[in-house]
Amino acid sequence: MELLQDPFGRIHDYIRISVTDRCNLRCVYCMPEEGMEFAPHEDIMTFEEITQILKVLAPMGLRKVRLTGGEPMVRKDLDKLVAMISAIDGIEDIALTTNAIFLEKKAQLLKDAGLTRINISLDSLRKDRFSMITRGGDVNKVLRGIEAAQAAGLDPIKLNVVLMKGINDDEIKDFIALTKDAPLHVRFIEYMPIGHANDSWRKSYLPLSTVLNACTEAGWEVEDTSGPNGNGPSEYRKLRGAQGTFGLIHPVSDHFCDNCNRLRITADGHIKACLYWSDEYNVRKVAGDPAATAALFLKALGNKPKNHEMALALEQQAQSHTPTVRRMSQIGG
């Protein structure tokens, strides 16, 4: 069967599937303050539709699946979906991106169902600031969720930190310090203009050279490292003698599109070959037809641009395609 390959020779063996557009938090970079109008239940893909699609893609070279949202753990019986995916021949890795608010009680259940590893969104370690960024979240629940993930044997555990100027950039050293005595992997992510390219995101944007500058200020010896297993474009470093690592994901200041291996499916069943552009293909309409499903993914990949041009958005320059108007919670992180 034909491989999942785009016109630039990039093989796609990794897919991110949003299982819901709903979330129990309202993070400032993900949703507007007034909240979102969520898709009705009947518009959201069923577990059966998701597994039908993955059974088509696995023979085409798909090996890695990540479940996202919204917040995927607000979806009832998520462990059942993990078990269904785990049973598909060819799928080797199942990951989850979560805010970890519900993880304390669910980590072992998900691990037993076949979850391989986990990414946890954590933009501040300070109680009041975390509540401000998430508009009401409790950071202590997240920290207990991390402990539960460690106890369940989920490995690696990655902590995703969206770096925002004047908001959490003074916590860079605190986050890196977490990696000294625990096998945690902190990844600093540049603020991206997803869904609001004309908003004030530029005021909060910071290049990730800021992270390395903080290490220099702290007098830390930093080494390059290969980092933990995973699918992302992070460039990893570690403090000398540390158990964990820290990584830099800079989609805006330094393109990583050349090696892109990922596809996305939104919660309402649309293929997105690129996170940033508006191009979408409704796979839900053909989910019961293996040949049509395969053809639609190949069509989406055939139209995938070479890169996302977020750097042009930062400079307010013209772009070659139309950026998406969907928020991150609607696309899947």
Side-chain angles (χ1 to χ4, degrees):
M1 185 171 284
E2 190 171 351
L3 290 176
L4 294 163
Q5 181 172 326
D6 70 13
F8 307 99
R10 297 175 293 199
I11 301 295
H12 293 65
D13 64 352
Y14 171 38
I15 196 163
R16 300 172 72 103
I17 301 175
S18 176
V19 298
T20 180
D21 64 340
R22 297 172 185 269
C23 188
N24 54 317
L25 300 179
R26 298 289 184 271
C27 295
V28 294
Y29 53 81
C30 194
M31 290 190 188
E33 186 172 2
E34 64 272 17
M36 301 286 296
E37 182 177 344
F38 299 119
H41 178 74
E42 60 269 19
D43 288 353
I44 302 300
M45 285 190 299
T46 66
F47 289 174
E48 290 73 22
E49 287 171 329
I50 291 171
T51 52
Q52 283 176 341
I53 292 167
L54 293 179
K55 285 177 180 178
V56 172
L57 299 181
M60 301 175 74
L62 186 75
R63 295 293 175 263
K64 306 165 188 177
V65 177
R66 175 172 293 279
L67 302 177
T68 71
E71 168 48 47
M73 294 185 71
V74 304
R75 182 78 184 257
K76 185 179 178 181
D77 297 326
L78 186 65
D79 59 293
K80 293 181 180 179
L81 176 60
V82 172
M84 292 165 72
I85 297 172
S86 182
I88 298 174
D89 187 34
I91 301 299
E92 300 170 353
D93 183 85
I94 307 172
L96 177 72
T97 295
T98 175
N99 61 35
I101 295 292
F102 303 130
L103 187 58
E104 182 180 11
K105 296 180 180 179
K106 298 288 187 179
Q108 191 64 57
L109 184 65
L110 290 165
K111 172 68 174 177
D112 293 343
L115 190 69
T116 311
R117 53 200 177 79
I118 197 160
N119 285 19
I120 295 171
S121 299
L122 180 60
D123 298 316
S124 178
L125 297 169
R126 303 179 187 181
K127 186 175 181 178
D128 57 342
R129 184 176 291 173
F130 182 87
S131 179
M132 181 274 291
I133 293 172
T134 60
R135 298 190 177 105
D138 183 353
V139 70
N140 289 321
K141 291 182 179 180
V142 180
L143 297 176
R144 291 197 298 270
I146 293 170
E147 293 175 355
Q150 291 175 304
L154 289 167
D155 182 61
I157 298 172
K158 299 177 182 178
L159 307 181
N160 293 341
V161 182
V162 176
L163 195 62
M164 294 171 279
K165 182 167 58 177
I167 298 177
N168 64 353
D169 49 322
D170 59 343
E171 293 187 65
I172 291 172
K173 296 171 189 175
D174 296 333
F175 275 109
I176 294 176
L178 294 176
T179 70
K180 289 182 177 181
D181 300 317
L184 297 173
H185 306 279
V186 175
R187 290 117 54 81
F188 295 98
I189 304 171
E190 284 182 332
Y191 197 165
M192 292 182 285
I194 302 300
H196 51 289
N198 295 320
D199 289 349
S200 58
W201 70 277
R202 296 177 189 86
K203 296 179 181 178
S204 297
Y205 170 81
L206 270 176
L208 296 187
S209 56
T210 308
V211 175
L212 298 179
N213 292 340
C215 292
T216 301
E217 290 174 5
W220 288 331
E221 292 185 71
V222 176
E223 304 171 343
D224 291 341
T225 184
S226 57
N229 292 331
N231 313 307
S234 182
E235 296 178 2
Y236 281 100
R237 311 283 199 279
K238 66 179 295 185
L239 302 183
R240 182 163 294 181
Q243 290 189 45
T245 67
F246 66 95
L248 310 177
I249 301 178
H250 34 71
V252 178
S253 64
D254 187 10
H255 291 307
F256 50 60
C257 299
D258 287 350
N259 299 314
C260 185
N261 68 336
R262 66 186 63 190
L263 290 157
R264 283 179 168 82
I265 305 179
T266 63
D268 56 358
H270 288 78
I271 303 167
K272 286 188 70 69
C274 178
L275 167 67
Y276 187 54
W277 301 123
S278 61
D279 308 64
E280 296 185 357
Y281 304 82
N282 190 341
V283 70
R284 229 186 151 199
K285 292 181 178 179
V286 297
D289 184 335
T293 298
L296 191 61
F297 272 91
L298 292 174
K299 179 180 179 181
L301 280 171
N303 293 323
K304 181 169 183 171
K306 188 174 183 179
N307 58 58
H308 55 51
E309 301 178 12
M310 288 186 198
L312 295 181
L314 179 65
E315 300 299 329
Q316 297 182 282
Q317 295 182 27
Q319 297 168 294
S320 62
H321 292 68
T322 303
T324 183
V325 295
R326 292 219 207 201
R327 293 277 182 162
M328 284 294 291
S329 61
Q330 296 172 307
I331 297 170

PDB file of all heavy atoms in Angstrom, residues 247-273:
ATOM      1  N   GLY A 247      14.133  21.000  26.646  1.00  0.00           N
ATOM      2  CA  GLY A 247      14.148  21.118  25.193  1.00  0.00           C
ATOM      3  C   GLY A 247      13.609  22.447  24.724  1.00  0.00           C
ATOM      4  O   GLY A 247      12.904  23.155  25.458  1.00  0.00           O
ATOM      5  N   LEU A 248      13.942  22.789  23.496  1.00  0.00           N
ATOM      6  CA  LEU A 248      13.508  24.042  22.879  1.00  0.00           C
ATOM      7  C   LEU A 248      12.721  23.713  21.624  1.00  0.00           C
ATOM      8  O   LEU A 248      13.225  23.049  20.719  1.00  0.00           O
ATOM      9  CB  LEU A 248      14.714  24.912  22.522  1.00  0.00           C
ATOM     10  CG  LEU A 248      15.753  25.142  23.634  1.00  0.00           C
ATOM     11  CD1 LEU A 248      16.912  25.949  23.092  1.00  0.00           C
ATOM     12  CD2 LEU A 248      15.118  25.832  24.834  1.00  0.00           C
ATOM     13  N   ILE A 249      11.475  24.161  21.583  1.00  0.00           N
ATOM     14  CA  ILE A 249      10.634  23.979  20.395  1.00  0.00           C
ATOM     15  C   ILE A 249      10.307  25.364  19.863  1.00  0.00           C
ATOM     16  O   ILE A 249       9.546  26.116  20.473  1.00  0.00           O
ATOM     17  CB  ILE A 249       9.344  23.216  20.742  1.00  0.00           C
ATOM     18  CG1 ILE A 249       9.682  21.845  21.333  1.00  0.00           C
ATOM     19  CG2 ILE A 249       8.471  23.055  19.507  1.00  0.00           C
ATOM     20  CD1 ILE A 249       8.468  21.032  21.749  1.00  0.00           C
ATOM     21  N   HIS A 250      10.932  25.706  18.733  1.00  0.00           N
ATOM     22  CA  HIS A 250      10.788  27.075  18.236  1.00  0.00           C
ATOM     23  C   HIS A 250      10.229  27.109  16.822  1.00  0.00           C
ATOM     24  O   HIS A 250      10.958  27.321  15.854  1.00  0.00           O
ATOM     25  CB  HIS A 250      12.118  27.828  18.305  1.00  0.00           C
ATOM     26  CG  HIS A 250      13.326  26.981  18.066  1.00  0.00           C
ATOM     27  ND1 HIS A 250      13.658  26.457  16.842  1.00  0.00           N
ATOM     28  CD2 HIS A 250      14.273  26.558  18.929  1.00  0.00           C
ATOM     29  CE1 HIS A 250      14.782  25.773  16.944  1.00  0.00           C
ATOM     30  NE2 HIS A 250      15.165  25.808  18.195  1.00  0.00           N
ATOM     31  N   PRO A 251       8.914  26.934  16.704  1.00  0.00           N
ATOM     32  CA  PRO A 251       8.283  26.931  15.388  1.00  0.00           C
ATOM     33  C   PRO A 251       8.334  28.274  14.676  1.00  0.00           C
ATOM     34  O   PRO A 251       8.251  28.331  13.454  1.00  0.00           O
ATOM     35  CB  PRO A 251       6.829  26.538  15.698  1.00  0.00           C
ATOM     36  CG  PRO A 251       6.629  26.968  17.109  1.00  0.00           C
ATOM     37  CD  PRO A 251       7.947  26.738  17.785  1.00  0.00           C
ATOM     38  N   VAL A 252       8.444  29.363  15.439  1.00  0.00           N
ATOM     39  CA  VAL A 252       8.400  30.688  14.823  1.00  0.00           C
ATOM     40  C   VAL A 252       9.785  31.153  14.400  1.00  0.00           C
ATOM     41  O   VAL A 252      10.011  31.543  13.252  1.00  0.00           O
ATOM     42  CB  VAL A 252       7.763  31.716  15.791  1.00  0.00           C
ATOM     43  CG1 VAL A 252       7.756  33.108  15.166  1.00  0.00           C
ATOM     44  CG2 VAL A 252       6.348  31.292  16.158  1.00  0.00           C
ATOM     45  N   SER A 253      10.756  31.092  15.314  1.00  0.00           N
ATOM     46  CA  SER A 253      12.067  31.667  15.033  1.00  0.00           C
ATOM     47  C   SER A 253      12.981  30.747  14.236  1.00  0.00           C
ATOM     48  O   SER A 253      13.954  31.210  13.646  1.00  0.00           O
ATOM     49  CB  SER A 253      12.760  32.034  16.349  1.00  0.00           C
ATOM     50  OG  SER A 253      13.023  30.880  17.130  1.00  0.00           O
ATOM     51  N   ASP A 254      12.697  29.450  14.217  1.00  0.00           N
ATOM     52  CA  ASP A 254      13.578  28.507  13.529  1.00  0.00           C
ATOM     53  C   ASP A 254      12.733  27.373  12.983  1.00  0.00           C
ATOM     54  O   ASP A 254      12.273  26.522  13.723  1.00  0.00           O
ATOM     55  CB  ASP A 254      14.632  27.957  14.495  1.00  0.00           C
ATOM     56  CG  ASP A 254      15.680  27.104  13.793  1.00  0.00           C
ATOM     57  OD1 ASP A 254      15.702  27.105  12.550  1.00  0.00           O
ATOM     58  OD2 ASP A 254      16.447  26.431  14.497  1.00  0.00           O
ATOM     59  N   HIS A 255      12.525  27.349  11.693  1.00  0.00           N
ATOM     60  CA  HIS A 255      11.641  26.354  11.075  1.00  0.00           C
ATOM     61  C   HIS A 255      12.097  24.933  11.377  1.00  0.00           C
ATOM     62  O   HIS A 255      13.278  24.616  11.326  1.00  0.00           O
ATOM     63  CB  HIS A 255      11.618  26.535   9.555  1.00  0.00           C
ATOM     64  CG  HIS A 255      10.935  27.789   9.109  1.00  0.00           C
ATOM     65  ND1 HIS A 255       9.665  28.113   9.509  1.00  0.00           N
ATOM     66  CD2 HIS A 255      11.346  28.789   8.306  1.00  0.00           C
ATOM     67  CE1 HIS A 255       9.319  29.269   8.960  1.00  0.00           C
ATOM     68  NE2 HIS A 255      10.321  29.699   8.233  1.00  0.00           N
ATOM     69  N   PHE A 256      11.109  24.060  11.667  1.00  0.00           N
ATOM     70  CA  PHE A 256      11.421  22.643  11.778  1.00  0.00           C
ATOM     71  C   PHE A 256      10.600  21.837  10.772  1.00  0.00           C
ATOM     72  O   PHE A 256      10.459  20.632  10.886  1.00  0.00           O
ATOM     73  CB  PHE A 256      11.193  22.126  13.201  1.00  0.00           C
ATOM     74  CG  PHE A 256       9.850  22.483  13.805  1.00  0.00           C
ATOM     75  CD1 PHE A 256       8.666  22.079  13.223  1.00  0.00           C
ATOM     76  CD2 PHE A 256       9.792  23.200  14.973  1.00  0.00           C
ATOM     77  CE1 PHE A 256       7.435  22.383  13.786  1.00  0.00           C
ATOM     78  CE2 PHE A 256       8.564  23.512  15.561  1.00  0.00           C
ATOM     79  CZ  PHE A 256       7.384  23.102  14.962  1.00  0.00           C
ATOM     80  N   CYS A 257      10.050  22.514   9.778  1.00  0.00           N
ATOM     81  CA  CYS A 257       9.151  21.860   8.833  1.00  0.00           C
ATOM     82  C   CYS A 257       9.837  20.840   7.932  1.00  0.00           C
ATOM     83  O   CYS A 257       9.180  19.936   7.412  1.00  0.00           O
ATOM     84  CB  CYS A 257       8.457  22.912   7.970  1.00  0.00           C
ATOM     85  SG  CYS A 257       7.433  24.084   8.884  1.00  0.00           S
ATOM     86  N   ASP A 258      11.142  20.991   7.710  1.00  0.00           N
ATOM     87  CA  ASP A 258      11.828  20.108   6.762  1.00  0.00           C
ATOM     88  C   ASP A 258      11.672  18.646   7.112  1.00  0.00           C
ATOM     89  O   ASP A 258      11.655  17.785   6.225  1.00  0.00           O
ATOM     90  CB  ASP A 258      13.325  20.457   6.694  1.00  0.00           C
ATOM     91  CG  ASP A 258      13.584  21.761   5.959  1.00  0.00           C
ATOM     92  OD1 ASP A 258      12.635  22.286   5.337  1.00  0.00           O
ATOM     93  OD2 ASP A 258      14.724  22.256   6.005  1.00  0.00           O
ATOM     94  N   ASN A 259      11.564  18.348   8.408  1.00  0.00           N
ATOM     95  CA  ASN A 259      11.469  16.961   8.845  1.00  0.00           C
ATOM     96  C   ASN A 259      10.084  16.621   9.390  1.00  0.00           C
ATOM     97  O   ASN A 259       9.940  15.645  10.136  1.00  0.00           O
ATOM     98  CB  ASN A 259      12.522  16.691   9.924  1.00  0.00           C
ATOM     99  CG  ASN A 259      13.933  16.899   9.413  1.00  0.00           C
ATOM    100  OD1 ASN A 259      14.266  16.439   8.324  1.00  0.00           O
ATOM    101  ND2 ASN A 259      14.757  17.600  10.179  1.00  0.00           N
ATOM    102  N   CYS A 260       9.074  17.374   9.010  1.00  0.00           N
ATOM    103  CA  CYS A 260       7.738  17.136   9.549  1.00  0.00           C
ATOM    104  C   CYS A 260       7.243  15.737   9.188  1.00  0.00           C
ATOM    105  O   CYS A 260       7.272  15.335   8.015  1.00  0.00           O
ATOM    106  CB  CYS A 260       6.761  18.179   9.006  1.00  0.00           C
ATOM    107  SG  CYS A 260       5.113  18.038   9.741  1.00  0.00           S
ATOM    108  N   ASN A 261       6.773  15.016  10.200  1.00  0.00           N
ATOM    109  CA  ASN A 261       6.274  13.657   9.983  1.00  0.00           C
ATOM    110  C   ASN A 261       4.858  13.485  10.519  1.00  0.00           C
ATOM    111  O   ASN A 261       4.400  12.375  10.718  1.00  0.00           O
ATOM    112  CB  ASN A 261       7.196  12.646  10.683  1.00  0.00           C
ATOM    113  CG  ASN A 261       7.140  12.753  12.202  1.00  0.00           C
ATOM    114  OD1 ASN A 261       6.802  13.796  12.758  1.00  0.00           O
ATOM    115  ND2 ASN A 261       7.468  11.666  12.879  1.00  0.00           N
ATOM    116  N   ARG A 262       4.142  14.592  10.752  1.00  0.00           N
ATOM    117  CA  ARG A 262       2.884  14.484  11.474  1.00  0.00           C
ATOM    118  C   ARG A 262       1.674  14.939  10.684  1.00  0.00           C
ATOM    119  O   ARG A 262       1.741  15.845   9.847  1.00  0.00           O
ATOM    120  CB  ARG A 262       2.955  15.256  12.783  1.00  0.00           C
ATOM    121  CG  ARG A 262       3.086  16.765  12.632  1.00  0.00           C
ATOM    122  CD  ARG A 262       3.296  17.425  13.983  1.00  0.00           C
ATOM    123  NE  ARG A 262       4.533  16.987  14.601  1.00  0.00           N
ATOM    124  CZ  ARG A 262       4.883  17.246  15.849  1.00  0.00           C
ATOM    125  NH1 ARG A 262       4.085  17.945  16.613  1.00  0.00           N
ATOM    126  NH2 ARG A 262       6.031  16.834  16.332  1.00  0.00           N
ATOM    127  N   LEU A 263       0.585  14.267  10.974  1.00  0.00           N
ATOM    128  CA  LEU A 263      -0.744  14.636  10.501  1.00  0.00           C
ATOM    129  C   LEU A 263      -1.614  14.930  11.720  1.00  0.00           C
ATOM    130  O   LEU A 263      -1.279  14.530  12.837  1.00  0.00           O
ATOM    131  CB  LEU A 263      -1.363  13.474   9.714  1.00  0.00           C
ATOM    132  CG  LEU A 263      -0.752  13.153   8.359  1.00  0.00           C
ATOM    133  CD1 LEU A 263      -1.057  11.718   7.972  1.00  0.00           C
ATOM    134  CD2 LEU A 263      -1.309  14.112   7.313  1.00  0.00           C
ATOM    135  N   ARG A 264      -2.747  15.584  11.488  1.00  0.00           N
ATOM    136  CA  ARG A 264      -3.699  15.830  12.561  1.00  0.00           C
ATOM    137  C   ARG A 264      -5.115  15.523  12.098  1.00  0.00           C
ATOM    138  O   ARG A 264      -5.438  15.705  10.916  1.00  0.00           O
ATOM    139  CB  ARG A 264      -3.632  17.301  13.019  1.00  0.00           C
ATOM    140  CG  ARG A 264      -2.464  17.627  13.902  1.00  0.00           C
ATOM    141  CD  ARG A 264      -2.482  19.113  14.280  1.00  0.00           C
ATOM    142  NE  ARG A 264      -1.542  19.407  15.348  1.00  0.00           N
ATOM    143  CZ  ARG A 264      -0.250  19.608  15.172  1.00  0.00           C
ATOM    144  NH1 ARG A 264       0.263  19.564  13.937  1.00  0.00           N
ATOM    145  NH2 ARG A 264       0.545  19.866  16.198  1.00  0.00           N
ATOM    146  N   ILE A 265      -5.931  15.088  13.056  1.00  0.00           N
ATOM    147  CA  ILE A 265      -7.375  14.978  12.823  1.00  0.00           C
ATOM    148  C   ILE A 265      -8.060  15.756  13.932  1.00  0.00           C
ATOM    149  O   ILE A 265      -7.807  15.529  15.119  1.00  0.00           O
ATOM    150  CB  ILE A 265      -7.871  13.522  12.833  1.00  0.00           C
ATOM    151  CG1 ILE A 265      -7.098  12.668  11.828  1.00  0.00           C
ATOM    152  CG2 ILE A 265      -9.359  13.482  12.492  1.00  0.00           C
ATOM    153  CD1 ILE A 265      -7.534  11.215  11.817  1.00  0.00           C
ATOM    154  N   THR A 266      -8.911  16.696  13.549  1.00  0.00           N
ATOM    155  CA  THR A 266      -9.641  17.482  14.536  1.00  0.00           C
ATOM    156  C   THR A 266     -10.753  16.644  15.157  1.00  0.00           C
ATOM    157  O   THR A 266     -11.135  15.590  14.625  1.00  0.00           O
ATOM    158  CB  THR A 266     -10.250  18.736  13.887  1.00  0.00           C
ATOM    159  OG1 THR A 266     -11.213  18.329  12.891  1.00  0.00           O
ATOM    160  CG2 THR A 266      -9.175  19.588  13.221  1.00  0.00           C
ATOM    161  N   ALA A 267     -11.290  17.124  16.259  1.00  0.00           N
ATOM    162  CA  ALA A 267     -12.324  16.374  16.967  1.00  0.00           C
ATOM    163  C   ALA A 267     -13.566  16.153  16.113  1.00  0.00           C
ATOM    164  O   ALA A 267     -14.266  15.151  16.268  1.00  0.00           O
ATOM    165  CB  ALA A 267     -12.698  17.091  18.265  1.00  0.00           C
ATOM    166  N   ASP A 268     -13.818  17.073  15.177  1.00  0.00           N
ATOM    167  CA  ASP A 268     -14.982  16.919  14.309  1.00  0.00           C
ATOM    168  C   ASP A 268     -14.637  16.225  12.991  1.00  0.00           C
ATOM    169  O   ASP A 268     -15.415  16.256  12.041  1.00  0.00           O
ATOM    170  CB  ASP A 268     -15.665  18.266  14.054  1.00  0.00           C
ATOM    171  CG  ASP A 268     -14.726  19.313  13.470  1.00  0.00           C
ATOM    172  OD1 ASP A 268     -13.523  19.025  13.294  1.00  0.00           O
ATOM    173  OD2 ASP A 268     -15.195  20.441  13.191  1.00  0.00           O
ATOM    174  N   GLY A 269     -13.459  15.603  12.943  1.00  0.00           N
ATOM    175  CA  GLY A 269     -13.157  14.700  11.845  1.00  0.00           C
ATOM    176  C   GLY A 269     -12.552  15.298  10.599  1.00  0.00           C
ATOM    177  O   GLY A 269     -12.760  14.789   9.496  1.00  0.00           O
ATOM    178  N   HIS A 270     -11.744  16.354  10.741  1.00  0.00           N
ATOM    179  CA  HIS A 270     -11.087  16.960   9.585  1.00  0.00           C
ATOM    180  C   HIS A 270      -9.578  16.704   9.623  1.00  0.00           C
ATOM    181  O   HIS A 270      -8.930  16.944  10.648  1.00  0.00           O
ATOM    182  CB  HIS A 270     -11.349  18.467   9.536  1.00  0.00           C
ATOM    183  CG  HIS A 270     -12.756  18.811   9.159  1.00  0.00           C
ATOM    184  ND1 HIS A 270     -13.808  18.740  10.052  1.00  0.00           N
ATOM    185  CD2 HIS A 270     -13.295  19.210   7.975  1.00  0.00           C
ATOM    186  CE1 HIS A 270     -14.929  19.096   9.436  1.00  0.00           C
ATOM    187  NE2 HIS A 270     -14.641  19.384   8.187  1.00  0.00           N
ATOM    188  N   ILE A 271      -9.042  16.250   8.519  1.00  0.00           N
ATOM    189  CA  ILE A 271      -7.600  16.065   8.377  1.00  0.00           C
ATOM    190  C   ILE A 271      -6.949  17.428   8.229  1.00  0.00           C
ATOM    191  O   ILE A 271      -7.385  18.252   7.420  1.00  0.00           O
ATOM    192  CB  ILE A 271      -7.253  15.222   7.135  1.00  0.00           C
ATOM    193  CG1 ILE A 271      -7.949  13.867   7.174  1.00  0.00           C
ATOM    194  CG2 ILE A 271      -5.735  15.044   7.009  1.00  0.00           C
ATOM    195  CD1 ILE A 271      -7.898  13.130   5.841  1.00  0.00           C
ATOM    196  N   LYS A 272      -5.900  17.671   9.001  1.00  0.00           N
ATOM    197  CA  LYS A 272      -5.051  18.843   8.813  1.00  0.00           C
ATOM    198  C   LYS A 272      -3.622  18.328   8.594  1.00  0.00           C
ATOM    199  O   LYS A 272      -3.024  17.748   9.506  1.00  0.00           O
ATOM    200  CB  LYS A 272      -5.095  19.772  10.022  1.00  0.00           C
ATOM    201  CG  LYS A 272      -6.396  20.554  10.133  1.00  0.00           C
ATOM    202  CD  LYS A 272      -6.342  21.609  11.234  1.00  0.00           C
ATOM    203  CE  LYS A 272      -5.424  22.755  10.876  1.00  0.00           C
ATOM    204  NZ  LYS A 272      -5.931  23.598   9.781  1.00  0.00           N
ATOM    205  N   ALA A 273      -3.115  18.527   7.405  1.00  0.00           N
ATOM    206  CA  ALA A 273      -1.750  18.104   7.117  1.00  0.00           C
ATOM    207  C   ALA A 273      -0.738  19.078   7.700  1.00  0.00           C
ATOM    208  O   ALA A 273       0.422  18.718   7.916  1.00  0.00           O
ATOM    209  CB  ALA A 273      -1.544  17.958   5.609  1.00  0.00           C
TER     210      ALA A 273
END
